[in-house]
Amino acid sequence: MSSPSTIGPASTSAANVGYSWGRSSDSSTLTNGAGTVLFTRTDRTDLNGIIGGGQIGYNWQMQNWVWGLEADIQGTDEKGTRNFTCPTGVCSPTFGVIAVFPGPAVPVALSQKIDWFGTVRGRAGVLVTPTVLLYGTGGLAYGEVKTSDTIGLVPALFSTTTTNVGWTVGAGIEGAIGGNWTAKLEYLYVDLGKAPGSFVTTSAAFGGGVITSNFSSRITDNIVRVGVNYRFGGPVSRQVLS
């Protein structure tokens, strides 16, 4: 890192690993062939798991201030499932000849997984010591969400994948650890927006037609990760913080 009067650019590249506490805030409906809503359920599912990936960046320094751009891509193990049941006589048609019985209950299991996500962010911070940077960061987030739905007493499995675009904001601390290397601890909040979809089953619906399962899930994430950066150029102790 440079002296307080130095201005200089620095490109960085390295890796990170961490843990994420994700959440899917979902509204699900079951409808019949005419589109009539037979059952609605609103709930939340935790999508927690390990994350890991790499980042590249470019920084500029003027006196004690550092500005930069950073992009990263992450693979994740974030996933979760929630279950609900449309009660007896609500979603399935009645049956019987001599005696009429209400249609059976319809169980549903909605599973979701964040396969990967990435961010493109600006970064701005201040050197609190000659080797330690405190910074805030924010920008674009994007990622892939896979949703699977298992529906009915005789389970039918459906799945779909969406690529979502949203935003992220966070903060971190980064310090020199020797030579061209720095280490950082970072928190990010990520909002990937809504992942909607629908699955048409072959199960008969109350009121005619077949049951369709519809969902709309807002995907958010709270990420804590540690990483290392390698600065291309001279040692960090003499130049801009990587």
Side-chain angles (χ1 to χ4, degrees), residues 6-63:
T6 299
I7 302 173
S11 58
T12 64
S13 177
N16 65 78
V17 66
Y19 196 82
S20 187
W21 294 264
R23 173 167 289 178
S24 170
S25 300
D26 175 73
S27 177
S28 295
T29 61
L30 299 179
T31 59
N32 63 16
T36 303
V37 176
L38 303 174
F39 183 78
T40 300
R41 181 65 178 268
T42 300
D43 206 346
R44 298 180 298 185
T45 305
D46 290 334
L47 306 176
N48 301 336
I50 296 170
I51 65 169
Q55 70 269 352
I56 58 174
Y58 200 83
N59 294 323
W60 297 265
Q61 181 181 348
M62 182 163 50
Q63 297 183 350

Side-chain angles (χ1 to χ4, degrees), residues 31-34 36-38 89-94 102-103 203-211:
T31 59
N32 63 16
T36 303
V37 176
L38 303 174
V90 175
C91 291
S92 300
T94 58
S203 301
F206 185 86
V210 295
I211 294 173

Side-chain angles (χ1 to χ4, degrees), residues 4-197:
S5 61
T6 299
I7 302 173
S11 58
T12 64
S13 177
N16 65 78
V17 66
Y19 196 82
S20 187
W21 294 264
R23 173 167 289 178
S24 170
S25 300
D26 175 73
S27 177
S28 295
T29 61
L30 299 179
T31 59
N32 63 16
T36 303
V37 176
L38 303 174
F39 183 78
T40 300
R41 181 65 178 268
T42 300
D43 206 346
R44 298 180 298 185
T45 305
D46 290 334
L47 306 176
N48 301 336
I50 296 170
I51 65 169
Q55 70 269 352
I56 58 174
Y58 200 83
N59 294 323
W60 297 265
Q61 181 181 348
M62 182 163 50
Q63 297 183 350
N64 286 342
W65 296 95
V66 177
W67 294 269
L69 296 173
E70 187 169 271
D72 66 86
I73 190 74
Q74 310 289 137
T76 92
D77 187 39
E78 298 176 79
K79 57 189 175 183
T81 299
R82 72 182 185 88
N83 301 280
F84 62 91
T85 300
C86 180
T88 300
V90 175
C91 291
S92 300
T94 58
F95 66 96
V97 178
I98 298 175
V100 178
F101 300 94
V106 179
V108 179
L110 184 70
S111 300
Q112 291 180 305
K113 182 179 186 298
I114 303 175
D115 285 328
W116 57 265
F117 71 89
T119 71
V120 180
R121 295 171 284 109
R123 194 170 81 145
V126 61
L127 295 168
V128 294
T129 77
T131 58
V132 176
L133 173 72
L134 291 180
Y135 64 89
T137 185
L140 177 75
Y142 56 97
E144 184 175 273
V145 180
K146 182 178 181 180
T147 302
S148 301
D149 218 355
T150 305
I151 307 167
L153 291 173
V154 180
L157 178 62
F158 306 87
S159 65
T160 187
T161 299
T162 62
T163 300
N164 289 33
V165 177
W167 56 274
T168 181
V169 67
I173 182 171
E174 185 172 3
I177 57 176
N180 289 40
W181 291 94
T182 65
K184 69 177 182 178
L185 172 66
E186 185 174 72
Y187 166 80
L188 291 178
Y189 174 81
V190 173
D191 188 330
L192 291 177
K194 290 187 176 181

